[in-house]
Amino acid sequence: MEFPVPIDAMKFSMEKKSPAPKDMEPMTGRLNRVYEMLNGTRQLTLPMIRRLHEELGIAAEVLIRQAVAQA
């Protein structure tokens, strides 16, 4: 079984927990960064991965996959 695409996992988690993109600012930075991340134009950093894992409960392995794939 393969891991989901990180962006899809983040969107699914957002739908499940109902946070708006603005609610993700503490985890990722400014609102424009949230949208860039969700559109796949901004790579996740290690601090972002940690916060998204802790706050949204997304498996770190899923989030790391995006960082490795884009490197």
Side-chain angles (χ1 to χ4, degrees):
M1 182 174 180
E2 289 192 32
F3 288 116
V5 176
I7 295 168
D8 292 340
M10 286 183 279
K11 288 179 181 178
F12 175 77
S13 182
M14 287 175 66
E15 289 173 8
K16 183 177 165 188
K17 297 184 180 203
S18 300
K22 181 140 180 85
D23 298 330
M24 293 184 67
E25 283 183 300
M27 295 172 260
T28 61
R30 295 181 181 173
L31 189 56
N32 66 323
R33 287 189 181 169
V34 174
Y35 285 111
E36 289 172 348
M37 181 192 65
L38 292 173
N39 290 328
T41 58
R42 177 172 290 276
Q43 186 173 347
L44 295 174
T45 64
L46 188 54
M48 285 179 188
I49 290 169
R50 285 183 177 137
R51 288 189 296 262
L52 288 165
H53 169 70
E54 291 169 2
E55 297 292 325
L56 296 179
I58 302 171
E61 294 85 4
V62 171
L63 299 169
I64 291 169
R65 180 176 173 212
Q66 180 188 26
V68 172
Q70 291 181 355

